[in-house]
Amino acid sequence: MIHEILPVGPLQCNCSIFGDEATREAMVIDPGDQIEDVLAILRRHDLRVKAIVITHAHIDHIGGAAKLKQATGAPAYMNLNDTELQAMLPVQAAWLGVREPEKTEIDVAAKDGDSLLVGASEFHVLHTPGHTQGSISLYAPAENKLIAGDTLFRDSIGRTDLPGGDGRQILRSIHEKLLPLPEETIVIPGHGANTTIGREKRMNPFLQE
Ligand SMILES: [Zn+2]
């Protein structure tokens, strides 16, 4: 499986591009910005996007999704508990002092327990609310990878002081949905460096009893 991680936009959101070598099918997760660069990677690997997945409706993760949809025709997936937050994108843009992105029509509701296929590899949708109400993580057992959005970071967890955030809920999501995954699972957070489930279990100061 091809996997490119491209930090995009002023907040350097980690946009993941997965591509299957056999079918040339691709999934793009969190195309927050720099869609020209995302498209260049897709062209370089000769990939066709079949799904655009938004881990949550913060502008740095969803900002470029409409443009990517127009360029690829691929459907957008998001958990609908973030619909309200998505409606606040003009406000989010004003907070950051950036231009308001074009609205992304969500085609498919991503729900806990859903699976997406890229080639023969399954990506399981885990609903992990707390950073936002509709935050999801994607677990690909065959790839040994977890795309964690802004729920879990190396040595940190997502902030919960923005609208829709809940500090107790994010801890519950991490403890119940993420930490039970195999320790060697590689975690790709929404920002910053990769880590593993085992490392965060042992070292993350927010997760120690
Ligand atoms: Zn966020």
Side-chain angles (χ1 to χ4, degrees):
M1 175 81 64
I2 297 160
H3 183 197
E4 299 250 13
I5 302 168
L6 178 69
V8 296
L11 297 179
Q12 295 284 278
C13 164
N14 284 327
C15 171
S16 268
I17 298 155
F18 284 96
D20 180 68
E21 287 101 336
T23 60
R24 312 319 291 183
E25 288 176 348
M27 176 168 70
V28 180
I29 305 168
D30 285 351
D33 205 345
Q34 293 175 233
I35 298 309
E36 292 307 328
D37 298 331
V38 173
L39 292 171
I41 290 172
L42 292 165
R43 273 194 304 271
R44 175 153 53 80
H45 291 293
D46 187 26
L47 295 172
R48 186 175 40 82
V49 182
K50 68 175 282 192
I52 299 166
V53 182
I54 315 297
T55 61
H56 63 290
H58 278 153
I59 191 167
D60 50 326
H61 295 255
I62 194 176
K67 197 173 169 188
L68 185 61
K69 266 189 78 168
Q70 281 155 18
T72 62
Y77 292 67
M78 188 184 86
N79 186 277
L80 296 187
N81 289 303
D82 264 4
T83 303
E84 238 177 280
L85 194 60
Q86 190 191 4
M88 288 179 63
L89 278 168
V91 184
Q92 297 185 39
W95 284 340
L96 284 177
V98 299
R99 212 153 47 95
E100 185 186 326
E102 203 179 321
K103 184 171 193 288
T104 304
E105 295 299 333
I106 302 303
D107 302 286
V108 187
K111 298 184 299 295
D112 193 69
D114 285 354
S115 279
L116 280 88
L117 271 179
V118 182
S121 278
E122 278 192 314
F123 288 74
H124 300 292
V125 175
L126 310 175
H127 182 215
T128 48
H131 175 61
T132 69
Q133 288 306 299
S135 281
I136 58 169
S137 304
L138 290 168
Y139 175 49
E143 304 302 314
N144 189 38
K145 282 178 180 169
L146 175 79
I147 307 295
D150 284 359
T151 298
L152 178 62
F153 297 109
R154 185 181 173 99
D155 291 328
S156 190
I157 63 173
R159 60 188 289 185
T160 54
D161 58 331
L162 297 171
D166 182 324
R168 269 192 297 201
Q169 196 182 31
I170 195 171
L171 285 173
R172 194 158 57 228
S173 290
I174 293 170
H175 283 287
E176 289 178 2
K177 300 272 183 69
L178 304 187
L179 297 190
L181 298 175
E183 295 223 334
E184 64 275 14
T185 305
I186 297 162
V187 179
I188 296 101
H191 303 267
N194 289 356
T195 181
T196 63
I197 289 292
R199 183 187 182 281
E200 294 319 300
K201 248 187 203 172
R202 283 186 296 275
M203 318 268 282
N204 191 313
F206 295 88
L207 304 179
Q208 308 308 313
E209 292 309 319

